[in-house]
Amino acid sequence: MVEGGAAKADKAECLECWQTTWKTPYIMRLALSAGIGGLLFGYDTGVISGAMLYIREDFEVVDRKTWLQETIVSMAVAGAIVGAAIGGWMNDKFGRKKAILVADVVFFIGAVVMAVAPFPGFIIVGRLIVGFGVGMASMTAPLYISEASPARIRGALVSTNGLLITGGQFLSYLINLAFTKTKLTWRLMLGVAGVPPLVQFVLMLSLPESPRWLYRRDKVDEARAILEKIYPADQVEDEMRLLHESVETEKAEEGAIGDGSIIAKVKGALSNQIVRRGLYAGIMVQVAQQFCGINTVMYYSPTIIQFAGYASNTTAMALSLVTSFLNAAGSVVSMVSVDRYGRRRLMLISMIGIITCLVVLAGVFFQSAHHAPPVDALESSHFGSNSTCSAYASAPDASSWNCMACLKQQCGFCANGDSEYLPGACLDLTKDVRSSCRSKHRVWFTEGCPSKIGFLAVVVMGLYIISYAPGMGTVPWVLNSEIYPLRYRGTGGGIAAVSNWISNLIVSQTFLTLVEALGAAGTFLLFAGFSFLGLIGIYFLVPETKGLQFEEVEELLRQGKNYKSSRGQREVSEQ
């Protein structure tokens, strides 16, 4: 997962989850119905990567302006930041169920706006609206599942939300691939996003509100009625007692913080030395998660594959399926390994793999650019003088131009008809010229150049995802769920989550601009540098919390020591 996380769940808990939900299917109905919010999240982050290829073909202004492509992609992230804040307020004011229903309506409207967009500005508005829905759903769905689940299998059930996020990403690539041959292409890809919220809206109408929220609103009988459907009859009273104790403790802690406002909570958190040390680690891993470049892969995967020399939209999206599948599989690996190998160790190993892959990827793109096919004057004039790239025609050093030099001038490269690796034509970037090139059964390149080693980029991207998903993909969220004292857990986790969203926005909004300025090789080398800084930060700032109780984590932070081994954990436990 890239912008959300799954709660930890070991094998025993997963087995008990299966047994419990088999006996009480109502529990799984609750989890899966709410978990569609995760599916929406995943679908939206994945679908734009393929849709963008066809949006660029339909709108020349988008194809020519990098900042416009970045805005279309990242506007959903900007909307999600606002949506998460609004969702937090709605959760407390109106309840989890109503917040999910509103998120469904917002997401559906956004999907319709994108599908019927007459010009790029409408797509941006639709992406912003969808982002509102994503932000609301991303924080409300796991909360609802957590509060409506039996405590003993809560981690496993909340993990279904994380799996549905990566599953939604994989589904989006499949649907993108299915619509590549249709007339409406990107409109169908984006419009289909309106189906899951419609399904969830109908399902949620028949489901109850969170029993915890009801109890806090003094609706005790309604809370009891829901618990009777979730727990065996002989456990209901115990759960009611635990719910009462939990809510009263929560109210007392809120009172200790002050007036209970967001500002008071943030001030209280920042003034507390233990929370600050937790935030150093929590924020650092969230920022590192984004600045290692993961969402350049998730949002721009087909485009990156085109950088490697695969010009066909269909081929680029088909190869992108591999990265999406590996990301989903990596989430499962993380679920069963985070409690066995530890949070810190997994992140360190993950970062080392990420850095290695990014450096190799930069090397592949550097070699591809260096050995790009040259531009030939006769090939270029073959399509008519009006079709030749004006920058190439007027360049004093035109004889030294190759495909990459052509693309850097916002022109297109029409490959040689006999072989893509022979000298080709540098032409204007217009629909008519593109159609003329393709009509002669030649390949049209706009993002990357023909390369004999381009396949290595796809292989390394797969290795990058394998390195990322089990470690940096999910562990930062696990760490942030357990590193703050109870009364500041929501505030600390919220601050860290906002840092994740903002980092996500920065990376997604600047990626294509960085590629224009530094080239693909330079951009991935830059991400490798950020990842190295993240590796150092994890080593020095992040303690190992594996096997520690919350109280022991708090004591570890109080001492200001980063115990890195089970021996250090035992020392904390014995104090």
Side-chain angles (χ1 to χ4, degrees):
M1 186 172 106
V2 292
E3 295 106 349
K8 57 184 179 181
D10 57 24
K11 292 180 179 180
E13 189 174 7
C14 289
L15 178 60
E16 185 170 1
C17 177
W18 171 256
Q19 294 172 342
T20 302
T21 53
W22 180 261
K23 295 177 182 177
T24 313
Y26 182 77
I27 298 173
M28 185 55 72
R29 180 185 164 196
L30 286 172
L32 291 180
S33 296
I36 294 177
L39 187 74
L40 296 177
F41 189 169
Y43 187 88
D44 179 71
T45 56
V47 71
I48 194 62
S49 62
M52 181 56 69
L53 303 181
Y54 295 93
I55 292 172
R56 281 172 26 210
E57 290 195 354
D58 275 6
F59 300 108
E60 285 187 19
V61 65
V62 177
D63 202 22
R64 288 179 176 274
K65 295 183 177 180
T66 297
W67 68 266
L68 201 51
Q69 297 174 39
E70 292 171 330
T71 301
I72 290 173
V73 170
S74 62
M75 195 51 62
V77 180
I81 296 173
V82 179
I86 295 174
W89 171 76
M90 286 194 66
N91 276 326
D92 291 335
K93 184 73 174 178
F94 303 107
R96 289 52 162 146
K97 176 180 175 179
K98 289 181 181 177
I100 291 175
L101 291 174
V102 171
D104 288 334
V105 173
V106 171
F107 202 102
F108 181 80
I109 293 172
V112 172
V113 170
M114 290 189 296
V116 302
F119 54 86
F122 257 66
I123 303 176
I124 292 173
V125 172
R127 290 286 291 168
L128 182 64
I129 295 172
V130 162
F132 292 152
V134 166
M136 295 171 67
S138 68
M139 67 169 302
T140 307
L143 185 62
Y144 179 87
I145 297 171
S146 175
E147 294 181 349
S149 304
R152 65 186 182 280
I153 60 170
R154 184 171 295 138
L157 285 177
V158 175
S159 294
T160 62
N161 185 67
L163 288 176
L164 284 170
I165 291 174
T166 53
Q169 290 170 339
F170 183 67
L171 177 64
S172 71
Y173 282 97
L174 286 175
I175 290 177
N176 280 350
L177 195 59
F179 288 141
T180 54
K181 301 299 182 182
T182 62
K183 193 172 183 179
L184 297 176
T185 54
W186 64 269
R187 296 185 184 276
L188 289 174
M189 295 172 185
L190 298 177
V192 164
V195 176
L198 195 60
V199 172
Q200 185 179 44
F201 187 90
V202 173
L203 291 174
M204 288 301 298
L205 287 175
S206 62
L207 292 176
E209 180 53 79
S210 156
R212 184 182 186 83
W213 185 85
L214 290 170
Y215 197 95
R216 285 213 57 166
R217 293 301 181 277
D218 296 324
K219 298 181 180 180
V220 179
D221 291 338
E222 292 180 41
R224 182 189 298 274
I226 297 166
L227 292 178
E228 288 174 348
K229 294 182 179 181
I230 298 174
Y231 292 93
D234 60 344
Q235 296 181 19
V236 173
E237 288 305 321
D238 286 340
E239 292 303 321
M240 286 294 293
R241 177 180 54 79
L242 291 172
L243 183 59
H244 171 77
E245 293 174 356
S246 176
V247 169
E248 291 304 314
T249 300
E250 187 177 281
K251 289 180 178 179
E253 287 167 349
E254 289 175 356
I257 292 173
D259 59 13
S261 67
I262 294 177
I263 295 176
K265 290 178 180 178
V266 171
K267 284 184 177 179
L270 295 179
S271 64
N272 186 298
Q273 185 183 56
I274 296 173
V275 180
R276 283 203 309 274
R277 286 173 176 166
L279 284 171
Y280 295 153
I283 292 176
M284 196 279 304
V285 296
Q286 294 285 22
V287 172
Q289 184 192 63
Q290 294 301 321
F291 274 85
C292 70
I294 180 57
N295 278 322
T296 64
V297 175
M298 299 314 299
Y299 294 157
Y300 298 102
S301 182
T303 301
I304 294 172
I305 289 174
Q306 288 187 336
F307 290 161
Y310 294 91
S312 166
N313 290 346
T314 303
T315 301
M317 284 193 289
L319 291 174
S320 296
L321 274 173
V322 177
T323 60
S324 182
F325 172 77
L326 290 173
N327 191 37
S331 299
V332 178
V333 173
S334 180
M335 286 171 59
V336 299
S337 60
V338 69
D339 284 324
R340 175 177 296 181
Y341 300 109
R343 292 86 165 106
R344 187 173 182 277
R345 181 185 296 179
L346 274 181
M347 286 191 287
L348 289 173
I349 294 173
S350 180
M351 270 301 197
I352 292 171
I354 287 169
I355 293 167
T356 303
C357 290
L358 287 172
V359 171
V360 174
L361 196 59
V364 171
F365 281 122
F366 177 80
Q367 288 298 319
S368 295
H370 185 68
H371 296 289
V375 174
D376 183 76
L378 290 177
E379 282 286 313
S380 300
S381 62
H382 176 73
F383 292 87
S385 58
N386 291 334
S387 298
T388 303
C389 172
S390 57
Y392 169 72
S394 60
D397 59 342
S399 60
S400 65
W401 274 41
N402 64 9
C403 170
M404 286 305 300
C406 176
L407 299 190
K408 286 180 180 178
Q409 295 299 320
Q410 297 293 306
C411 295
F413 182 79
C414 186
N416 191 293
D418 295 325
S419 171
E420 292 180 2
Y421 308 111
L422 294 175
C426 185
L427 307 175
D428 278 337
L429 196 63
T430 66
K431 282 186 178 181
D432 291 339
V433 173
R434 180 183 68 211
S435 298
S436 177
C437 173
R438 289 175 175 172
S439 68
K440 298 181 183 297
H441 304 291
R442 298 187 178 201
V443 182
W444 178 251
F445 292 87
T446 59
E447 298 298 333
C449 296
S451 172
K452 293 181 180 180
I453 62 172
F455 73 94
L456 288 176
V458 180
V459 173
V460 177
M461 276 179 61
L463 294 174
Y464 169 88
I465 293 294
I466 290 173
S467 299
Y468 171 86
M472 291 305 296
T474 57
V475 178
W477 297 96
V478 174
L479 181 76
N480 272 281
S481 71
E482 60 192 12
I483 202 170
Y484 309 108
L486 179 60
R487 63 185 179 278
Y488 291 112
R489 192 159 299 147
T491 305
I495 293 172
V498 169
S499 70
N500 184 283
W501 281 110
I502 292 174
S503 302
N504 184 343
L505 178 61
I506 293 170
V507 171
S508 58
Q509 181 64 47
T510 60
F511 174 63
L512 295 179
T513 300
L514 286 172
V515 171
E516 274 191 357
L518 305 176
T523 301
F524 286 109
L525 206 56
L526 179 65
F527 286 135
F530 287 139
S531 299
F532 180 71
L533 293 177
L535 177 67
I536 294 174
I538 292 171
Y539 185 83
F540 286 106
L541 295 177
V542 178
E544 179 55 76
T545 58
K546 169 194 169 186
L548 296 181
Q549 299 295 324
F550 290 134
E551 295 78 11
E552 294 171 340
V553 174
E554 187 170 345
E555 180 60 30
L556 185 150
L557 293 172
R558 189 190 312 279
Q559 297 175 5
K561 298 178 180 178
N562 293 341
Y563 289 119
K564 307 172 182 67
S565 66
S566 58
R567 177 176 174 269
Q569 292 175 26
R570 286 195 298 271
E571 290 175 3
V572 171
S573 301
E574 291 167 359
Q575 292 181 5

